[in-house]
Amino acid sequence: MRTLIILTLLAVLVVAATCYESHESMESHEYLNPFINRRRANDFIQADTRLEAVTRERIRERAKGPQERQREICEDYYPCELYAFRHGYAAAYKHYFGRRRTK
């Protein structure tokens, strides 16, 4: 009988400890209304500046100079790239692609 009372008291203590709601959780406004509107949600989150940097980088990629385009063309063609290591990209581009003429 004694063990039954001790087990009952122990069970009551476990239930009281696990089911107790503190006042700290009641102080939070999220307890009553967990959803906030979009304006309040965006107040504390700053716009991602990395996204702007990526956008600017993409714009720079579209507007490449003629020498950069020539260098990329030369890098894609292995013999031109080998020639460029020895003589420079301008000379290599002129050597391999400069004499092209359309009829």
Side-chain angles (χ1 to χ4, degrees), residues 18-71:
T18 56
C19 295
Y20 174 73
E21 285 193 28
S22 67
H23 293 289
E24 293 171 355
S25 65
M26 298 297 263
E27 289 174 358
S28 174
H29 298 292
E30 296 172 357
Y31 181 74
L32 300 174
N33 188 8
F35 303 105
I36 58 176
N37 64 15
R38 291 180 184 173
R39 287 186 185 164
R40 287 203 52 220
N42 290 332
D43 284 346
F44 62 92
I45 297 177
Q46 298 293 328
D48 194 6
T49 56
R50 288 177 290 160
L51 184 61
E52 292 177 20
V54 169
T55 304
R56 276 187 256 127
E57 180 67 26
R58 296 292 176 242
I59 290 171
R60 267 189 258 129
E61 284 179 3
R62 286 186 213 140
K64 293 180 181 176
Q67 290 144 343
E68 189 175 355
R69 277 183 271 153
Q70 289 175 359
R71 181 179 176 136

